[in-house]
Amino acid sequence: MAVHWQSLASLSKANAALPKEVFAERHPSPFLLELESEQGDLEAGATRAFDVSAVKDGEISPTLQKSKIIYLDGQGFVIGREATCDIQINHDTISEAHCRFDCFGSIWAIKDEGSKNGTFVNGRQLKSNEQSPLKFGTKIRLGSSQFLFLSTEGAFDLIQDLSREPRIRPRSLGKYRSEFKELVTTEAVEAKFRGPFLVIQAPGGRDPAASAKGVDSNTITLTEEDLKKSVNKNVTDAIFDLSNHNLVRIGRATVTQIHLPLGAISNLHAALIRGEDETWKIQDLGAKNGTHLWGERLPPQGCRQIDSGTEVTFGNIKAIFFFAEDLLTYALHRDSLV
């Protein structure tokens, strides 16, 4: 069965916001991370030989956009340049059928298939047709291309490190309103403020009953009646500009980009994810009190596209997702809309 490479960025967009245990449930098998990009289409002919001694074993740092990764979901894979291989690598120092990966229970092994330029495991070249067990974190070199054999946990930690973004500091509605008025036209506003934006309608005070349940360290259970309470006109809006972000985690945890240390919010509550076509999706991260779109609760880890003007409820905290033009309307007419 053929499996296909994907960019580390695509794996990150689909999974980086998930809690580690959910990622592990979805990906119980290991990953193979390519540290050098493919060369592209090759003319038919013999594999190009290269000088092994000229290959440097220095660290090659993976990047979200350039590095590719494959999920090894199966029992065995042949790797090579031929299109008939399970995993194809278009590199002219890799043989038509270079090596294979096999799984024996919980143990994975790599076997050289008589390759011209060799299969190296942590710098040691395997003999022709030699099979060697693999440990997670092992560096593999096929010809002059380098790879890492990663566990589920290793892949998760890698995409977390590479996709981590700085916390977004909120600004008040009043500051935006003043700047919008100075810019006068919608075109000028959109030119300066690309957006999109998440407007968090923060509660004006702490519920004593919620405080008694330990809102400083735990999430609290809310009733449907609590979730449907309307926002008070005097509630303060905190506006988060998402324009420079692709993955925005929302929750109580300090690693989140939108930090909401409130009683009804889970550590990792939800995430906003930018797609390649500039559309946005919202994903629930298994929040105790749920993520609601227009009052409808997303399933745990559920993901849905989100449009400008969509009302989202995180636990008992209401928010609205806006593009710049709609934020302009909201900012100038907010009091009449509530």
Side-chain angles (χ1 to χ4, degrees):
M1 59 176 178
V3 291
H4 302 286
W5 295 98
Q6 64 175 314
S7 70
L8 203 52
S10 65
L11 179 69
S12 175
K13 284 183 178 181
N15 297 279
L18 296 176
K20 181 179 287 189
E21 59 270 18
V22 177
F23 181 83
E25 290 176 2
R26 292 186 177 183
H27 304 93
S29 295
F31 292 81
L32 185 66
L33 173 69
E34 185 182 35
L35 295 176
E36 291 184 340
S37 60
E38 297 177 0
Q39 289 189 345
D41 295 334
L42 299 169
E43 295 181 0
T47 302
R48 180 179 66 87
F50 78 107
D51 183 0
V52 175
S53 63
V55 177
K56 296 180 180 179
D57 285 325
E59 293 297 327
I60 301 176
S61 298
T63 65
L64 282 178
Q65 299 304 325
K66 293 184 179 180
S67 298
K68 295 183 179 180
I69 195 166
I70 272 185
Y71 176 55
L72 300 177
D73 185 17
Q75 297 300 311
F77 302 93
V78 174
I79 296 180
R81 210 176 68 227
E82 274 289 314
T84 55
C85 292
D86 301 306
I87 300 176
Q88 186 181 20
I89 302 175
N90 291 328
H91 197 289
D92 62 4
T93 65
I94 290 180
S95 298
E96 293 182 352
H98 197 105
C99 68
R100 67 173 291 119
F101 283 79
D102 286 297
C103 181
F104 305 96
S106 61
I107 304 298
W108 281 80
I110 187 171
K111 179 183 178 183
D112 182 81
E113 294 282 279
S115 64
K116 181 174 183 178
N117 289 309
T119 300
F120 298 78
V121 177
N122 284 335
R124 183 182 75 85
Q125 183 174 4
L126 300 183
K127 297 177 182 178
S128 180
N129 296 309
E130 177 186 354
Q131 190 171 58
S132 175
L134 285 171
K135 294 182 178 180
F136 295 131
T138 294
K139 179 183 285 186
I140 298 168
R141 193 170 79 234
L142 310 178
S144 61
S145 293
Q146 298 189 60
F147 305 83
L148 280 178
F149 181 66
L150 295 176
S151 64
T152 294
E153 183 176 281
F156 180 84
D157 290 342
L158 177 64
I159 62 175
Q160 291 297 314
D161 289 340
L162 294 179
S163 63
R164 184 169 289 121
E165 298 189 4
R167 181 171 294 176
I168 305 172
R169 303 296 177 184
R171 298 180 71 209
S172 70
L173 182 65
K175 289 183 178 179
Y176 276 105
R177 182 183 288 148
S178 297
E179 293 191 44
F180 289 167
K181 287 181 178 179
E182 290 178 2
L183 291 169
V184 181
T185 67
T186 300
E187 291 75 14
V189 169
E190 291 181 325
K192 183 173 181 179
F193 299 98
R194 293 190 302 116
F197 303 86
L198 188 68
V199 179
I200 301 289
Q201 298 177 328
R206 179 176 289 182
D207 180 356
S211 298
K213 297 181 181 180
V215 297
D216 290 333
S217 59
N218 300 294
T219 57
I220 59 174
T221 301
L222 302 171
T223 65
E224 287 299 314
E225 184 179 340
D226 291 325
L227 291 171
K228 293 177 181 177
K229 286 181 180 178
S230 62
V231 177
N232 188 287
K233 181 180 289 189
N234 298 319
V235 162
T236 300
D237 286 319
I239 302 179
F240 296 83
D241 185 350
L242 315 181
S243 58
N244 295 321
H245 297 261
N246 294 309
L247 173 65
V248 179
R249 301 176 183 88
I250 302 165
R252 301 166 61 92
T254 57
V255 298
T256 54
Q257 284 66 55
I258 294 181
H259 187 220
L260 300 179
L262 304 170
I265 304 294
S266 297
N267 282 333
L268 288 175
H269 197 104
L272 291 164
I273 304 165
R274 185 198 301 268
E276 294 181 0
D277 56 356
E278 294 300 314
T279 59
W280 283 78
K281 293 182 179 180
I282 187 166
Q283 182 171 14
D284 179 82
L285 300 181
K288 179 178 180 180
N289 292 305
T291 303
H292 297 72
L293 268 62
W294 296 113
E296 179 184 351
R297 183 167 183 165
L298 292 177
Q301 286 84 49
C303 191
R304 188 177 301 172
Q305 185 169 322
I306 187 170
D307 300 316
S308 184
T310 299
E311 182 182 278
V312 185
T313 307
F314 306 107
N316 65 338
I317 305 301
K318 287 193 175 182
I320 308 176
F321 178 82
F322 282 127
F323 291 128
E325 181 179 0
D326 293 327
L327 179 65
L328 172 62
T329 301
Y330 178 85
L332 297 180
H333 305 284
R334 191 255 194 249
D335 292 343
S336 63
L337 295 174
V338 178

Short mmCIF file of all heavy atoms in Angstrom, two decimals, residues 1-8 11 15 22-34 68-77 86-87 101 108 148-153 155:
data_model
loop_
_atom_site.label_atom_id
_atom_site.label_comp_id
_atom_site.label_asym_id
_atom_site.label_seq_id
_atom_site.Cartn_x
_atom_site.Cartn_y
_atom_site.Cartn_z
N MET A 1 0.85 -1.20 0.00
CA MET A 1 0.00 0.00 0.00
C MET A 1 0.88 1.24 0.00
O MET A 1 1.83 1.33 0.76
CB MET A 1 -0.91 0.00 1.23
CG MET A 1 -0.16 -0.04 2.55
SD MET A 1 -1.30 0.09 3.93
CE MET A 1 -0.14 -0.04 5.28
N ALA A 2 0.56 2.15 -0.89
CA ALA A 2 1.35 3.38 -0.98
C ALA A 2 0.90 4.37 0.09
O ALA A 2 -0.29 4.53 0.35
CB ALA A 2 1.19 3.99 -2.36
N VAL A 3 1.87 5.00 0.74
CA VAL A 3 1.58 6.08 1.67
C VAL A 3 2.28 7.33 1.14
O VAL A 3 3.25 7.24 0.38
CB VAL A 3 2.06 5.75 3.10
CG1 VAL A 3 1.24 4.65 3.71
CG2 VAL A 3 3.54 5.36 3.11
N HIS A 4 1.78 8.47 1.54
CA HIS A 4 2.24 9.70 0.90
C HIS A 4 2.78 10.69 1.93
O HIS A 4 2.29 10.79 3.05
CB HIS A 4 1.09 10.33 0.12
CG HIS A 4 0.51 9.44 -0.93
ND1 HIS A 4 1.16 9.17 -2.12
CD2 HIS A 4 -0.64 8.72 -0.95
CE1 HIS A 4 0.42 8.33 -2.84
NE2 HIS A 4 -0.67 8.04 -2.16
N TRP A 5 3.79 11.41 1.49
CA TRP A 5 4.37 12.46 2.31
C TRP A 5 3.39 13.62 2.44
O TRP A 5 2.63 13.92 1.54
CB TRP A 5 5.65 12.99 1.67
CG TRP A 5 6.76 11.98 1.57
CD1 TRP A 5 7.10 11.24 0.47
CD2 TRP A 5 7.68 11.61 2.60
NE1 TRP A 5 8.17 10.42 0.77
CE2 TRP A 5 8.55 10.64 2.06
CE3 TRP A 5 7.85 12.01 3.92
CZ2 TRP A 5 9.57 10.06 2.80
CZ3 TRP A 5 8.87 11.43 4.66
CH2 TRP A 5 9.72 10.47 4.11
N GLN A 6 3.43 14.26 3.59
CA GLN A 6 2.74 15.53 3.77
C GLN A 6 3.71 16.50 4.42
O GLN A 6 4.71 16.09 5.01
CB GLN A 6 1.49 15.38 4.64
CG GLN A 6 1.77 14.94 6.07
CD GLN A 6 0.49 14.93 6.92
OE1 GLN A 6 -0.31 15.85 6.89
NE2 GLN A 6 0.31 13.84 7.66
N SER A 7 3.44 17.78 4.27
CA SER A 7 4.32 18.76 4.90
C SER A 7 4.10 18.72 6.41
O SER A 7 3.01 18.39 6.90
CB SER A 7 4.05 20.16 4.37
OG SER A 7 2.80 20.63 4.81
N LEU A 8 5.15 19.07 7.13
CA LEU A 8 5.03 19.15 8.58
C LEU A 8 3.99 20.21 8.95
O LEU A 8 3.30 20.09 9.96
CB LEU A 8 6.40 19.49 9.18
CG LEU A 8 6.64 19.12 10.64
CD1 LEU A 8 6.32 17.67 10.92
CD2 LEU A 8 8.09 19.43 11.02
N LEU A 11 0.48 18.62 8.89
CA LEU A 11 0.27 17.79 10.08
C LEU A 11 0.02 18.69 11.30
O LEU A 11 -0.84 18.40 12.13
CB LEU A 11 1.48 16.90 10.33
CG LEU A 11 1.39 15.99 11.56
CD1 LEU A 11 0.35 14.91 11.35
CD2 LEU A 11 2.74 15.36 11.89
N ASN A 15 -3.33 18.92 13.78
CA ASN A 15 -3.17 18.24 15.06
C ASN A 15 -2.52 19.02 16.19
O ASN A 15 -2.61 18.62 17.34
CB ASN A 15 -2.33 16.96 14.85
CG ASN A 15 -3.01 15.96 13.95
OD1 ASN A 15 -3.87 15.20 14.38
ND2 ASN A 15 -2.61 15.93 12.69
N VAL A 22 -5.06 12.86 22.88
CA VAL A 22 -5.92 12.72 21.70
C VAL A 22 -5.08 12.46 20.46
O VAL A 22 -5.41 11.62 19.62
CB VAL A 22 -6.79 13.98 21.51
CG1 VAL A 22 -7.63 13.88 20.24
CG2 VAL A 22 -7.69 14.18 22.72
N PHE A 23 -3.97 13.18 20.33
CA PHE A 23 -3.05 12.96 19.21
C PHE A 23 -2.55 11.51 19.22
O PHE A 23 -2.47 10.86 18.17
CB PHE A 23 -1.87 13.93 19.31
CG PHE A 23 -0.87 13.81 18.20
CD1 PHE A 23 -1.08 14.45 16.99
CD2 PHE A 23 0.28 13.05 18.36
CE1 PHE A 23 -0.15 14.33 15.95
CE2 PHE A 23 1.21 12.93 17.34
CZ PHE A 23 0.99 13.57 16.12
N ALA A 24 -2.22 11.00 20.41
CA ALA A 24 -1.72 9.62 20.53
C ALA A 24 -2.78 8.60 20.14
O ALA A 24 -2.47 7.57 19.54
CB ALA A 24 -1.24 9.37 21.96
N GLU A 25 -4.04 8.88 20.46
CA GLU A 25 -5.12 7.97 20.06
C GLU A 25 -5.27 7.93 18.55
O GLU A 25 -5.53 6.87 17.97
CB GLU A 25 -6.44 8.41 20.70
CG GLU A 25 -6.50 8.19 22.21
CD GLU A 25 -7.78 8.73 22.81
OE1 GLU A 25 -8.63 9.25 22.05
OE2 GLU A 25 -7.94 8.64 24.04
N ARG A 26 -5.08 9.07 17.91
CA ARG A 26 -5.22 9.14 16.45
C ARG A 26 -4.01 8.56 15.74
O ARG A 26 -4.12 8.09 14.61
CB ARG A 26 -5.41 10.59 16.02
CG ARG A 26 -6.73 11.21 16.45
CD ARG A 26 -6.89 12.60 15.84
NE ARG A 26 -8.17 13.20 16.18
CZ ARG A 26 -8.58 14.38 15.73
NH1 ARG A 26 -7.79 15.09 14.92
NH2 ARG A 26 -9.76 14.85 16.07
N HIS A 27 -2.84 8.62 16.37
CA HIS A 27 -1.59 8.21 15.72
C HIS A 27 -0.79 7.28 16.64
O HIS A 27 0.24 7.67 17.19
CB HIS A 27 -0.75 9.43 15.36
CG HIS A 27 -1.46 10.43 14.50
ND1 HIS A 27 -2.15 11.51 15.02
CD2 HIS A 27 -1.59 10.51 13.15
CE1 HIS A 27 -2.67 12.21 14.03
NE2 HIS A 27 -2.36 11.62 12.90
N PRO A 28 -1.24 6.05 16.81
CA PRO A 28 -0.51 5.13 17.69
C PRO A 28 0.80 4.61 17.10
O PRO A 28 1.65 4.09 17.82
CB PRO A 28 -1.50 3.99 17.90
CG PRO A 28 -2.37 4.02 16.68
CD PRO A 28 -2.49 5.46 16.30
N SER A 29 1.00 4.73 15.78
CA SER A 29 2.22 4.25 15.13
C SER A 29 3.23 5.39 14.99
O SER A 29 2.89 6.56 15.15
CB SER A 29 1.89 3.68 13.75
OG SER A 29 1.05 2.53 13.87
N PRO A 30 4.49 5.06 14.66
CA PRO A 30 5.53 6.09 14.56
C PRO A 30 5.48 6.87 13.25
O PRO A 30 4.68 6.58 12.35
CB PRO A 30 6.83 5.30 14.67
CG PRO A 30 6.49 3.95 14.16
CD PRO A 30 5.06 3.70 14.55
N PHE A 31 6.36 7.86 13.15
CA PHE A 31 6.48 8.72 11.98
C PHE A 31 7.91 8.68 11.44
O PHE A 31 8.86 8.41 12.19
CB PHE A 31 6.18 10.18 12.35
CG PHE A 31 4.76 10.46 12.71
CD1 PHE A 31 4.27 10.18 13.98
CD2 PHE A 31 3.89 11.02 11.78
CE1 PHE A 31 2.96 10.47 14.32
CE2 PHE A 31 2.57 11.30 12.11
CZ PHE A 31 2.10 11.03 13.39
N LEU A 32 8.04 8.96 10.15
CA LEU A 32 9.35 9.15 9.53
C LEU A 32 9.39 10.58 9.01
O LEU A 32 8.58 10.97 8.17
CB LEU A 32 9.56 8.16 8.38
CG LEU A 32 10.95 8.19 7.74
CD1 LEU A 32 12.02 7.71 8.73
CD2 LEU A 32 10.99 7.33 6.48
N LEU A 33 10.34 11.35 9.54
CA LEU A 33 10.48 12.76 9.18
C LEU A 33 11.65 12.94 8.23
O LEU A 33 12.77 12.54 8.54
CB LEU A 33 10.71 13.60 10.45
CG LEU A 33 11.04 15.08 10.24
CD1 LEU A 33 9.82 15.83 9.71
CD2 LEU A 33 11.53 15.70 11.54
N GLU A 34 11.40 13.52 7.06
CA GLU A 34 12.45 13.79 6.08
C GLU A 34 13.10 15.13 6.41
O GLU A 34 12.42 16.16 6.53
CB GLU A 34 11.87 13.83 4.67
CG GLU A 34 12.92 14.00 3.59
CD GLU A 34 12.31 14.07 2.20
OE1 GLU A 34 11.22 14.64 2.07
OE2 GLU A 34 12.93 13.58 1.25
N LYS A 68 9.09 17.25 5.33
CA LYS A 68 7.97 16.36 5.04
C LYS A 68 7.98 15.20 6.02
O LYS A 68 9.02 14.82 6.57
CB LYS A 68 8.06 15.84 3.60
CG LYS A 68 7.92 16.95 2.56
CD LYS A 68 7.93 16.39 1.16
CE LYS A 68 7.76 17.51 0.13
NZ LYS A 68 7.78 16.97 -1.24
N ILE A 69 6.79 14.62 6.22
CA ILE A 69 6.65 13.57 7.22
C ILE A 69 5.65 12.54 6.73
O ILE A 69 4.74 12.85 5.96
CB ILE A 69 6.20 14.18 8.58
CG1 ILE A 69 6.40 13.19 9.73
CG2 ILE A 69 4.78 14.72 8.51
CD1 ILE A 69 6.31 13.83 11.10
N ILE A 70 5.87 11.29 7.16
CA ILE A 70 4.96 10.19 6.81
C ILE A 70 4.60 9.44 8.09
O ILE A 70 5.45 9.20 8.95
CB ILE A 70 5.62 9.23 5.80
CG1 ILE A 70 5.34 9.71 4.38
CG2 ILE A 70 5.12 7.81 5.96
CD1 ILE A 70 5.82 8.78 3.29
N TYR A 71 3.33 9.09 8.19
CA TYR A 71 2.83 8.30 9.31
C TYR A 71 2.88 6.83 8.91
O TYR A 71 2.28 6.43 7.91
CB TYR A 71 1.40 8.72 9.65
CG TYR A 71 0.76 7.90 10.74
CD1 TYR A 71 1.36 7.75 11.99
CD2 TYR A 71 -0.46 7.27 10.51
CE1 TYR A 71 0.77 7.00 12.97
CE2 TYR A 71 -1.07 6.53 11.51
CZ TYR A 71 -0.45 6.39 12.74
OH TYR A 71 -1.04 5.64 13.73
N LEU A 72 3.62 6.03 9.66
CA LEU A 72 3.83 4.62 9.32
C LEU A 72 2.71 3.76 9.88
O LEU A 72 2.90 2.99 10.82
CB LEU A 72 5.20 4.16 9.85
CG LEU A 72 6.40 4.93 9.31
CD1 LEU A 72 7.69 4.44 9.97
CD2 LEU A 72 6.50 4.81 7.80
N ASP A 73 1.56 3.86 9.30
CA ASP A 73 0.37 3.16 9.77
C ASP A 73 0.25 1.82 9.05
O ASP A 73 -0.49 1.69 8.07
CB ASP A 73 -0.87 4.02 9.54
CG ASP A 73 -2.12 3.40 10.12
OD1 ASP A 73 -1.99 2.49 10.96
OD2 ASP A 73 -3.23 3.82 9.74
N GLY A 74 0.97 0.85 9.49
CA GLY A 74 0.94 -0.46 8.85
C GLY A 74 2.04 -1.36 9.36
O GLY A 74 2.74 -1.04 10.32
N GLN A 75 2.23 -2.49 8.71
CA GLN A 75 3.18 -3.50 9.18
C GLN A 75 4.53 -3.43 8.48
O GLN A 75 5.54 -3.83 9.04
CB GLN A 75 2.58 -4.90 8.98
CG GLN A 75 1.31 -5.12 9.80
CD GLN A 75 1.56 -4.97 11.28
OE1 GLN A 75 2.50 -5.55 11.83
NE2 GLN A 75 0.74 -4.18 11.94
N GLY A 76 4.56 -2.96 7.25
CA GLY A 76 5.83 -2.94 6.53
C GLY A 76 5.76 -2.04 5.32
O GLY A 76 4.71 -1.93 4.67
N PHE A 77 6.89 -1.39 5.01
CA PHE A 77 6.95 -0.45 3.90
C PHE A 77 8.28 -0.58 3.18
O PHE A 77 9.33 -0.63 3.83
CB PHE A 77 6.79 0.99 4.38
CG PHE A 77 5.52 1.26 5.13
CD1 PHE A 77 5.49 1.15 6.51
CD2 PHE A 77 4.37 1.60 4.45
CE1 PHE A 77 4.33 1.40 7.21
CE2 PHE A 77 3.19 1.85 5.14
CZ PHE A 77 3.17 1.75 6.52
N ASP A 86 6.20 1.49 -1.61
CA ASP A 86 5.18 1.99 -0.70
C ASP A 86 5.42 3.45 -0.35
O ASP A 86 4.49 4.24 -0.22
CB ASP A 86 5.16 1.15 0.59
CG ASP A 86 4.90 -0.32 0.30
OD1 ASP A 86 3.88 -0.61 -0.36
OD2 ASP A 86 5.71 -1.16 0.72
N ILE A 87 6.69 3.79 -0.14
CA ILE A 87 7.07 5.17 0.16
C ILE A 87 8.08 5.60 -0.89
O ILE A 87 9.19 5.06 -0.95
CB ILE A 87 7.68 5.30 1.57
CG1 ILE A 87 6.68 4.88 2.63
CG2 ILE A 87 8.14 6.74 1.83
CD1 ILE A 87 7.22 4.87 4.04
N PHE A 101 10.95 -0.94 6.03
CA PHE A 101 10.61 -0.89 7.45
C PHE A 101 9.65 -2.03 7.74
O PHE A 101 8.71 -2.28 6.98
CB PHE A 101 9.94 0.43 7.80
CG PHE A 101 10.88 1.60 7.92
CD1 PHE A 101 11.34 2.24 6.78
CD2 PHE A 101 11.28 2.07 9.15
CE1 PHE A 101 12.19 3.33 6.88
CE2 PHE A 101 12.13 3.15 9.27
CZ PHE A 101 12.59 3.78 8.13
N TRP A 108 10.09 -1.92 15.77
CA TRP A 108 10.27 -1.61 14.36
C TRP A 108 11.73 -1.85 13.97
O TRP A 108 12.65 -1.69 14.78
CB TRP A 108 9.91 -0.15 14.09
CG TRP A 108 8.43 0.08 13.99
CD1 TRP A 108 7.55 0.19 15.04
CD2 TRP A 108 7.65 0.18 12.80
NE1 TRP A 108 6.27 0.38 14.57
CE2 TRP A 108 6.30 0.38 13.20
CE3 TRP A 108 7.95 0.15 11.44
CZ2 TRP A 108 5.27 0.53 12.28
CZ3 TRP A 108 6.92 0.31 10.52
CH2 TRP A 108 5.60 0.50 10.93
N LEU A 148 14.49 11.23 10.39
CA LEU A 148 14.38 10.91 11.80
C LEU A 148 13.20 9.95 11.98
O LEU A 148 12.13 10.14 11.39
CB LEU A 148 14.15 12.15 12.65
CG LEU A 148 15.35 13.03 13.00
CD1 LEU A 148 14.90 14.24 13.80
CD2 LEU A 148 16.40 12.24 13.76
N PHE A 149 13.41 8.92 12.80
CA PHE A 149 12.37 7.97 13.15
C PHE A 149 11.77 8.43 14.47
O PHE A 149 12.45 8.43 15.51
CB PHE A 149 12.97 6.56 13.27
CG PHE A 149 11.98 5.48 13.61
CD1 PHE A 149 10.98 5.13 12.72
CD2 PHE A 149 12.06 4.80 14.82
CE1 PHE A 149 10.08 4.13 13.02
CE2 PHE A 149 11.17 3.79 15.13
CZ PHE A 149 10.17 3.46 14.23
N LEU A 150 10.51 8.88 14.44
CA LEU A 150 9.91 9.55 15.59
C LEU A 150 8.76 8.74 16.17
O LEU A 150 7.93 8.19 15.44
CB LEU A 150 9.38 10.92 15.19
CG LEU A 150 10.40 11.97 14.76
CD1 LEU A 150 9.67 13.24 14.31
CD2 LEU A 150 11.35 12.30 15.91
N SER A 151 8.69 8.72 17.49
CA SER A 151 7.53 8.16 18.17
C SER A 151 6.36 9.13 18.06
O SER A 151 6.51 10.28 17.63
CB SER A 151 7.86 7.93 19.65
OG SER A 151 8.11 9.19 20.29
N THR A 152 5.18 8.65 18.43
CA THR A 152 4.02 9.53 18.47
C THR A 152 4.30 10.75 19.34
O THR A 152 4.01 11.89 18.97
CB THR A 152 2.79 8.76 19.02
OG1 THR A 152 2.44 7.74 18.10
CG2 THR A 152 1.61 9.69 19.23
N GLU A 153 4.87 10.50 20.53
CA GLU A 153 5.18 11.60 21.44
C GLU A 153 6.21 12.54 20.84
O GLU A 153 6.10 13.77 20.97
CB GLU A 153 5.68 11.04 22.77
CG GLU A 153 5.95 12.10 23.82
CD GLU A 153 6.35 11.50 25.15
OE1 GLU A 153 5.46 11.04 25.89
OE2 GLU A 153 7.56 11.49 25.45
N ALA A 155 6.78 13.14 17.64
CA ALA A 155 6.16 13.92 16.57
C ALA A 155 5.29 15.03 17.15
O ALA A 155 5.29 16.16 16.67
CB ALA A 155 5.34 13.02 15.66
#
